[in-house]
């Protein structure tokens, strides 16, 4: 594994955060020729039967493919052990036949961030950092705070003072972090964090290449759960675009290692009010930041840091980028709920995007599609409550307190609706 600039290819040392030559983001490169794919598959699968913490983590189980970190520094919560579910109602909603959910909300802090955070915080501990810092719309904050608590590092998070989920802030405080609410949006918070000295603090936003290495393991876990049969499409929400670049990297490596025999396509879905990546994908040129506006607060990001890396990855898979309106996201989220699987609004951009791509004919009815659910429904309970109390669109809407007789009638009514 070697670390170099993802833009100008200049070599970098393991301790730097940005390229010394051009300021670009750094990335690890894996030399696939060093490995035997079949042997790797056997090792990964055997580890699932072990009781060792590292073997049972859905990140460290793939440790041959990660930058080396000494075992005594690893901080793990057995992250990225995540289910893949058939998406019955989600498939019908999008007029598709083979759809499943990869539920990354089943992680220890209930979002996909844990897979990357275990590597970033382990690295911070190994290099002797005493404090970790991030900018966040809430999920990175909660994840970083939990891993810092386990690692006995101080945690400082910068979040927008308004417009993020109160539950995520409470979760972050529970884990003992210091929260600084800034007068500005996520993009401003990230600017402030990037100006800090990386020699003094561990910056663990997805500009940190160790984060990306951990997050790419979500792709490995997905492929392994499917017996290394690649789907046709993987559809995921895009905000700061670290996850898109991580998924793309994981898929490319799995293909180069011979773990899979073809590359799935990536479809990235942004909220319409925060879609600068969708625009640059279709129009070319440099990304033009926007002032982000969306109720899917996790992806309310106007100047995504990893857009260049993500663009390379989406193009490498022959994929696409689109945006979905807040209304489409809200309805898609409720449909995912009806599958018995809860997710937060940003995650539901995946199903809203699939529906649009089916209408456009980009994705075929029989294509094998995986929707990536990035966060758990309880991450944003206020959003779900507001949806149900204002819309009453579904048969399970809240009713006034019934009398005994009403209740019997209600049982009949509910039964009839569900037969
Ligand atoms: N889904 C959820 C639930 C998220 O929290 C995020 C990002 C994304 C999707 C988008 O991922 O940024 O890698 O493209 N949340 C960050 C945070 C920004 O601070 O928690 P991305």
């Amino acid at each position: 594994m070697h670390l170099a600039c993802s833009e100008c290819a200049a070599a970098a040392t393991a301790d730097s955060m940005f390229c010394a030559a051009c300021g670009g983001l750094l990335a690890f490169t894996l030399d696939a020729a060093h490995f035997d794919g079949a042997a790797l598959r056997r090792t990964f699968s055997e580890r699932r039967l072990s009781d060792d913490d590292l073997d049972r983590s859905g990140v460290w189980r793939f440790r041959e493919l990660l930058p080396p970190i000494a075992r005594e520094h690893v901080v793990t919560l057995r992250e990225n052990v995540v289910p893949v579910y058939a998406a019955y109602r989600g498939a019908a909603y999008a007029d598709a036949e083979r759809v499943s959910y990869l539920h990354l909300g089943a992680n220890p802090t209930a979002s996909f961030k844990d897979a990357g955070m275990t590597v970033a915080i382990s690295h911070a501990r190994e290099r002797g950092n005493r404090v970790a810092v991030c900018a966040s719309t809430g999920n990175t904050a909660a994840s970083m705070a939990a891993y810092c608590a386990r690692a006995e590092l101080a945690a400082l998070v910068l979040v927008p003072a308004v417009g993020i989920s109160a539950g995520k802030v409470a979760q972050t405080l529970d884990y003992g972090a210091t929260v600084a609410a800034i007068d500005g949006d996520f993009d401003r918070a990230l600017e402030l964090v990037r100006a800090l000295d990386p020699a003094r603090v561990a910056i663990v936003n997805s500009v940190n290449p160790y984060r990306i290495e951990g997050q790419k393991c979500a792709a490995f876990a997905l492929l392994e759960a499917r017996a290394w049969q690649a789907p046709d499409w993987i559809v995921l929400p895009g905000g700061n675009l670290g996850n898109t670049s991580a998924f793309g990297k994981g898929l490319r490596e799995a293909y180069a290692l011979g773990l899979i025999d073809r590359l799935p396509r990536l479809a990235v879905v942004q909220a319409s009010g925060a879609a600068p990546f969708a625009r640059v994908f279709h129009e070319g040129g440099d990304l033009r930041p926007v002032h982000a506006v969306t109720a899917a607060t996790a992806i309310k990001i106007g100047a995504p840091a990893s857009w260049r890396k993500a663009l390379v990855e989406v193009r490498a898979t022959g994929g696409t980028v689109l945006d979905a309106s807040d209304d489409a996201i809200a309805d898609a989220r409720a449909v995912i709920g009806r599958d018995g699987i809860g997710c937060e609004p940003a995650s539901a951009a995946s199903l809203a995007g699939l529906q649009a791509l089916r209408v456009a004919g980009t994705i075929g009815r029989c294509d094998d599609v995986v929707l990536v659910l990035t966060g758990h429904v309880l991450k944003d309970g206020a959003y779900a409550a507001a949806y149900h109390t204002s819309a009453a669109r579904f048969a399970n809407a809240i009713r006034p307190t019934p009398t005994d007789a009403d209740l019997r009638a209600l049982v009949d009514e509910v039964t009839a609706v569900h037969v």
Side-chain angles (χ1 to χ4, degrees), residues 112-113 136-137 139-140 237-243 298-299 301 344 346 374:
F112 73 100
K113 305 287 183 180
S136 182
T137 54
N139 284 330
T140 302
N240 209 27
L241 298 170
N243 204 29
I299 51 173
I301 294 171
E344 68 170 284
T374 44

Side-chain angles (χ1 to χ4, degrees), residues 94-410:
D95 185 27
E97 284 176 8
R98 297 162 71 202
V99 183
S100 53
Y101 302 117
L102 170 66
H103 201 352
L104 303 181
N107 265 294
T109 77
S111 86
F112 73 100
K113 305 287 183 180
D114 297 342
M117 203 55 74
T118 181
V119 181
I121 296 299
S122 300
H123 173 63
R125 187 149 90 158
E126 185 170 65
R127 72 196 274 252
N129 282 122
R130 296 177 52 207
V131 56
V133 184
C134 70
S136 182
T137 54
N139 284 330
T140 302
S143 181
M144 186 190 87
Y147 283 87
C148 282
R150 305 292 300 175
E152 299 189 17
L153 295 187
L156 171 62
V157 311
L158 272 66
V159 298
V162 289
I164 67 166
S165 152
K168 293 177 186 176
V169 177
Q171 186 188 11
T172 303
L173 292 167
D174 258 357
Y175 298 136
T178 300
V179 175
I182 67 145
D183 179 19
D185 54 12
F186 170 85
D187 302 299
R188 176 70 190 135
L190 186 57
E191 247 171 51
L192 292 169
V193 166
R194 287 181 68 150
L196 294 171
D197 176 4
R200 264 202 78 204
V201 299
I203 297 172
V204 301
N205 280 102
S206 53
V207 295
N208 180 326
Y210 288 84
R211 269 276 306 276
I212 301 299
E213 291 304 300
Q215 264 174 234
K216 76 181 182 187
C217 295
F220 300 152
L222 168 69
L223 296 170
E224 188 186 46
R226 298 171 48 100
W228 303 101
Q229 300 299 308
D232 296 309
W233 287 90
I234 296 175
V235 188
L236 75 171
N240 209 27
L241 298 170
N243 204 29
T244 301
S245 62
F247 248 93
K249 187 172 198 287
L251 296 173
R252 261 194 302 116
E253 290 178 359
Y255 183 55
L257 290 161
L259 299 174
I260 49 174
D261 59 12
R262 66 198 173 98
L263 210 50
R265 295 177 176 204
L266 282 177
V268 180
V269 192
Q270 299 205 285
S272 299
F277 187 54
R279 183 157 186 182
V280 75
F281 181 82
H282 294 287
E283 294 179 5
D286 268 359
L287 181 127
R288 278 186 284 153
V290 301
H291 173 69
V293 185
T294 171
T297 56
I299 51 173
K300 191 176 164 197
I301 294 171
S306 294
W307 73 270
R308 285 180 202 278
K309 275 187 183 179
L311 193 60
V312 171
E313 299 296 356
V314 177
R315 293 231 161 101
T317 70
T320 191
V321 185
L322 69 161
D323 65 276
S325 71
D326 276 13
D327 282 350
I329 290 173
D331 287 342
R333 201 197 66 88
V335 171
I336 295 167
R338 296 292 302 277
D339 261 326
I341 292 156
C343 70
E344 68 170 284
S347 307
S350 57
L351 177 58
L354 170 60
Q355 194 208 23
L357 291 168
R358 280 288 304 118
V359 170
T362 313
I363 294 185
R365 178 177 287 122
C366 297
D367 283 356
D368 182 349
V369 182
V370 175
L371 305 177
V372 180
L373 305 183
T374 44
H376 195 276
V377 60
L378 297 177
K379 282 286 195 173
D380 200 345
Y383 178 99
Y387 180 84
H388 290 292
T389 48
S390 72
R393 285 176 189 133
F394 290 100
N396 59 353
I398 300 168
R399 302 299 179 91
T401 312
T403 62
D404 284 2
D406 289 345
L407 190 54
R408 281 190 293 276
L410 192 54

